[in-house]
Amino acid sequence: MLTYFVRQLCRDHVWIACTLMPSNPTRLYQAVLRDKAAPISLRLRRTLGQWLVGKGLPFPDAGKPLQAFDVDGTRVRVERRGDCGRYVVEESLEGALLRTRVTYHEPIPGLAGWVVVTVEEDGAGGDGHAPGFVPAYLRSERISDGTVHLTDAPDVLDEYDVGRLIDTLCQRERRVPVVVMSVDPQDPAAVTARADYLAAATAGAGVVVRFADGGAQRRFNEALGPDLEVFGGGLRTYVAPFDPKTESYPFRHLPMGGGTLRSQGDRALNVVAGGVIGQTARRTLPDDVQRAYRIVSRILAGKAEPSDIHDAVAPRLIVNQDQKEELRRRLMALTVRPAPVAAPGPAPVHSLATVDAVAPVSSPAGVDSPASADETVGPEPEQSRAQQPVDRRPEPVFDVGALAQTVAAAVVKELHGELEAALDLAAQAGGNGSESGHLLRQMRTLGAHVDGLREVVLDRQRSEELHAQAAGEALLAEAEGESDRLAAEMERLRAEQEILQNEYAEAVANTRKLGKRVRWLEKRLAESGQPAYGVSAEEPDFEPTSLMDGLNMARETLGHVVIGDTDTAATKLDLAYPTLSRVWAAKTWDALRALDAFAKARSSGEFAGGFLQWCMSAADLTIPAGTVAMSESKTVNTNGKYSTSRTFAVPEEVHPSGRVLMEAHIKLRKGGVPAPRIHFHDDSGGATGKIWVGHVGDHLPNTLTN
């Protein structure tokens, strides 16, 4: 009994010595994870507990405010009081002590929620990577450090996302480094693996992005200039703060060439990861988190009450009279009084009196002011208006004959298939009742296409007028033979483009058929006693023939997705790109089904994250996460014209104004023209429990489209 007591006492002293004894640890990793979604404690306990179980440790008990356990030299201490808590994990690794400390506070009125993760080492210095639970925690909700969204996976950017990336790099509140990876022409697939490795290694402490294609990379390099560009499969780490216009030392943002990455592999990537984590680990905590962190330690030690945190985190600004006077003096020094501006008038009269009258100089005392001189210069207002030329251009008049030809051409070229469908409908009018749903959907699709024909005709009319004017100017500037040669070349390229589009659409359709066949075979194998192959969920046997066909089916069958007034936008793509629209329709149908499955899971409480996290998970119905963007660039959000075009109608229970800005969008095509998008608003966790789709159509206006 005495021996057991001595052993137990020694173990307690070891814990106390390791925890309280002064040391000189090396900080290997630190991340500040701002989390607005409550409760943090549940998601943190789930993700960190699974990490501990993987190390052979028990899962933390939610009902105990204080826990401590030791398994094979790894010690864990869990503390919780009020809205805050802390985990401390100490591991012995090759003669060194590795300590992972996780401190958190729930979001409460007046204080945003946060988690601070710190990894320190006592002993031999080593390289730090993100602790194993951090990637899973980042997937649980939208986590940020300041204004930068932190993810465990790389962000894939096309040319439309470059503006958002540059805005992120230049944000004054950014703390974490951003690693930008270029396209590797020698091994394009290798960039994906490198980006995934870096994103997992630096999760929480940095952000990793890679370009989807060369177009996005060229646009990025043009915006930043030759001293800050990335190319040839290399990468560059952009530290904070960053401003490409005033950057005097570009190599502060360390580059690494593609040759080094290809030859050294993970060794080179570990160097990059170490640099990213080192930048964040050396930073002090933000002021608001620092103040809260101190009081959280006191609360957990029992030296303060949970309610004391409000007074601790409240900012204190003390300004004495001398500081106020100095501030007023500086503001007055920066104030510049604008010079008077002469009022606009008729054409200038070349006389000395007129020049003296309008010159913006101060008049000495006793001399008439410029205002009095203005009264004697120039004609009377009525005379000025009479002298101004009047624009009497006649209102544009439609050429009825040309309009009729345009309508006929559009009907023959664009609606040939629709007319055949109408004949099929007439022939099937006497069919049985089981065909009524299919017929009704075809009628709705045909009706929407006919309604959209008017828009197509008017657009084509205006386009033909512009093309006719441009062609006339070209004929005046170029020789007749050169024009014919260019026209023939354009016609040849147009024919080749149509062939390639048809081949692409056929390849996509065959791929989808093969995918369905594989899933069917997996299901049959599983049913025959081969469960290792998995069981595929039953899928509706439906392939949309156009965007409108897919939208009509979604309105009939998807209960958690509501599609707004976007038929015109979808119809324009159907009519303008009949071949490609079948490809986009299939992607739209997949995206809407994924949104429906996500909304159903989240509204029922089965899933707690956002749609991007849903697509990163192992759910049955998902789409590639690289096609999902949950926000727009700062330029788009702050420009009224761009933000208004992304604001769509929703019920008042979703937003009191009946309209909401839908930043979140899905890319049906990552680059090129056109670049169709699906814009939606996620209310799956709100009053309606649904996804509201505001736009399915071509890319909405931004700095590139304009």
Side-chain angles (χ1 to χ4, degrees):
M1 184 68 182
L2 180 62
T3 303
Y4 172 79
F5 175 76
V6 171
R7 289 178 179 174
Q8 194 68 26
L9 183 63
C10 290
R11 291 181 64 180
D12 292 343
H13 276 79
V14 167
W15 170 267
I16 296 172
C18 292
T19 307
L20 302 179
M21 185 175 64
S23 61
N24 186 24
T26 300
R27 182 180 296 171
L28 301 181
Y29 174 92
Q30 179 172 275
V32 179
L33 311 177
R34 296 185 183 270
D35 191 341
K36 298 180 181 179
I40 292 176
S41 58
L42 294 181
R43 289 180 284 113
L44 188 59
R45 184 173 64 88
R46 183 179 70 249
T47 55
L48 196 145
Q50 292 172 351
W51 178 58
L52 294 177
V53 170
K55 293 177 175 290
L57 298 165
F59 196 90
D61 190 343
K64 295 182 179 180
L66 179 62
Q67 303 172 67
F69 39 85
D70 184 344
V71 177
D72 296 334
T74 299
R75 295 174 292 275
V76 179
R77 184 178 180 88
V78 184
E79 304 170 89
R80 178 172 56 84
R81 187 181 180 210
D83 293 313
C84 58
R86 178 167 56 205
Y87 295 80
V88 180
V89 182
E90 295 186 336
E91 305 172 76
S92 298
L93 300 174
E94 299 179 357
L97 179 65
L98 190 68
R99 182 183 298 108
T100 302
R101 183 182 291 106
V102 184
T103 308
Y104 70 90
H105 197 288
E106 299 282 0
I108 58 177
L111 176 65
W114 50 262
V115 179
V116 176
V117 183
T118 305
V119 180
E120 297 175 338
E121 185 180 44
D122 288 336
D127 296 329
H129 278 195
F133 72 91
V134 173
Y137 178 70
L138 295 180
R139 290 193 295 269
S140 68
E141 193 53 63
R142 182 179 175 86
I143 314 296
S144 64
D145 183 346
T147 57
V148 179
H149 181 201
L150 301 175
T151 64
D152 70 310
D155 194 2
V156 183
L157 305 181
D158 60 22
E159 56 184 331
Y160 294 100
D161 297 322
V162 169
R164 175 165 59 90
L165 171 60
I166 296 176
D167 288 341
T168 300
L169 293 176
C170 297
Q171 285 178 1
R172 296 180 60 184
E173 298 83 2
R174 178 171 70 91
R175 300 174 70 253
V176 298
V178 178
V179 180
V180 179
M181 308 192 70
S182 64
V183 178
D184 191 343
Q186 298 185 24
D187 190 0
V191 179
T192 302
R194 295 170 195 157
D196 292 341
Y197 182 90
L198 275 180
T202 62
V207 175
V208 179
V209 301
R210 65 179 179 86
F211 296 122
D213 49 39
Q217 179 175 312
R218 285 191 297 272
R219 179 166 174 78
F220 178 80
N221 289 337
E222 290 171 358
L224 264 61
D227 293 334
L228 294 166
E229 64 182 0
V230 291
F231 56 89
L235 59 82
R236 187 184 288 268
T237 303
Y238 296 90
V239 299
F242 176 75
D243 187 350
K245 297 179 181 178
T246 60
E247 183 61 63
S248 59
Y249 185 57
F251 276 92
R252 185 169 68 94
H253 312 282
L254 292 175
M256 180 171 285
T260 303
L261 292 172
R262 286 188 289 268
S263 61
Q264 298 188 15
D266 290 349
R267 181 181 177 185
L269 294 175
N270 287 332
V271 172
V272 176
V276 170
I277 294 174
Q279 285 284 336
T280 310
R282 289 192 295 269
R283 284 183 171 270
T284 58
L285 297 178
D287 291 341
D288 58 331
V289 176
Q290 182 70 49
R291 292 193 298 269
Y293 193 91
R294 295 193 188 101
I295 193 65
V296 164
S297 298
R298 292 178 57 81
I299 292 173
L300 294 176
K303 298 180 180 180
E305 295 300 321
S307 59
D308 295 341
I309 196 166
H310 287 284
D311 296 333
V313 301
R316 296 178 175 85
L317 179 61
I318 302 176
V319 182
N320 56 33
Q321 290 299 121
D322 293 339
Q323 290 174 325
K324 289 181 180 179
E325 179 60 26
E326 176 66 17
L327 180 61
R328 187 194 67 80
R329 186 184 62 80
R330 292 183 178 181
L331 290 175
M332 292 299 295
L334 293 174
T335 304
V336 179
R337 297 181 180 180
V341 180
V349 180
H350 296 286
S351 66
L352 184 60
T354 304
V355 174
D356 292 340
V358 299
V361 296
S362 301
S363 300
V367 180
D368 293 337
S369 65
S372 62
D374 287 340
E375 296 175 358
T376 63
V377 178
E380 292 296 326
E382 293 297 331
Q383 296 175 352
S384 299
R385 284 194 292 270
Q387 292 175 3
Q388 293 178 357
V390 179
D391 186 1
R392 300 186 179 278
R393 280 182 265 177
E395 294 292 330
V397 179
F398 281 109
D399 186 343
V400 178
L403 181 60
Q405 292 179 359
T406 303
V407 171
V411 169
V412 172
K413 293 181 179 179
E414 310 293 352
L415 291 184
H416 181 72
E418 309 298 325
L419 294 175
E420 291 182 353
L423 293 176
D424 291 340
L425 288 176
Q428 297 173 6
N432 54 35
S434 62
E435 299 175 346
S436 59
H438 176 66
L439 296 179
L440 180 59
R441 189 170 65 254
Q442 283 190 326
M443 291 175 65
R444 289 175 178 172
T445 302
L446 178 59
H449 284 185
V450 173
D451 290 339
L453 178 60
R454 177 178 176 275
E455 296 292 333
V456 174
V457 169
L458 294 178
D459 289 345
R460 182 164 297 182
Q461 181 74 15
R462 290 188 289 267
S463 177
E464 288 181 354
E465 291 175 357
L466 293 175
H467 284 314
Q469 181 180 358
E473 295 175 355
L475 287 174
L476 294 176
E478 297 178 357
E480 185 69 26
E482 183 67 15
S483 178
D484 292 342
R485 188 188 66 80
L486 291 176
E489 181 67 15
M490 289 178 62
E491 187 63 28
R492 184 184 65 82
L493 293 176
R494 187 180 296 110
E496 290 183 358
Q497 181 189 21
E498 291 180 358
I499 294 173
L500 291 175
Q501 287 181 352
N502 289 327
E503 292 178 348
Y504 171 67
E506 184 178 354
V508 170
N510 289 335
T511 301
R512 293 178 64 84
K513 289 179 181 178
L514 291 174
K516 280 190 173 183
R517 182 66 176 172
V518 169
R519 290 189 291 273
W520 181 81
L521 290 173
E522 289 177 348
K523 183 174 183 297
R524 294 299 298 271
L525 286 170
E527 292 173 349
S528 64
Q530 301 290 335
Y533 292 96
V535 178
S536 177
E538 292 291 341
E539 297 184 8
D541 187 16
F542 171 70
E543 284 293 330
T545 58
S546 63
L547 284 169
M548 274 310 307
D549 191 23
L551 294 183
N552 286 330
M553 174 61 88
R555 287 175 173 135
E556 294 177 10
T557 60
L558 303 183
H560 288 78
V561 173
V562 181
I563 300 172
D565 185 13
T566 185
D567 291 1
T568 300
T571 297
K572 285 185 177 180
L573 288 179
D574 281 343
L575 298 179
Y577 304 93
T579 303
L580 291 177
S581 68
R582 296 177 65 92
V583 177
W584 300 331
K587 293 183 178 180
T588 299
W589 175 239
D590 291 343
L592 294 177
R593 290 179 62 214
L595 286 170
D596 182 72
F598 158 72
K600 182 178 180 181
R602 183 167 186 188
S603 61
S604 64
E606 298 176 6
F607 188 79
F611 183 62
L612 181 60
Q613 286 74 32
W614 171 267
C615 293
M616 294 177 180
S617 68
D620 290 332
L621 291 175
T622 62
I623 58 175
T627 64
V628 180
M630 301 305 295
S631 62
E632 293 280 11
S633 67
K634 183 178 179 181
T635 304
V636 170
N637 288 336
T638 56
N639 188 306
K641 178 176 65 173
Y642 300 151
S643 61
T644 301
S645 66
R646 290 162 172 79
T647 303
F648 303 99
V650 293
E652 293 185 358
E653 55 193 307
V654 177
H655 196 278
S657 67
R659 297 180 67 81
V660 68
L661 174 63
M662 297 188 183
E663 292 187 67
H665 57 276
I666 299 170
K667 309 166 189 176
L668 301 180
R669 186 184 186 189
K670 289 189 176 182
V673 177
R677 297 290 188 262
I678 301 175
H679 282 260
F680 65 92
H681 174 71
D682 180 10
D683 191 50
S684 58
T688 64
K690 297 181 179 180
I691 298 290
W692 297 84
V693 176
H695 174 77
V696 179
D698 203 354
H699 200 293
L700 294 172
N702 67 358
T703 54
L704 271 182
T705 57
N706 284 11

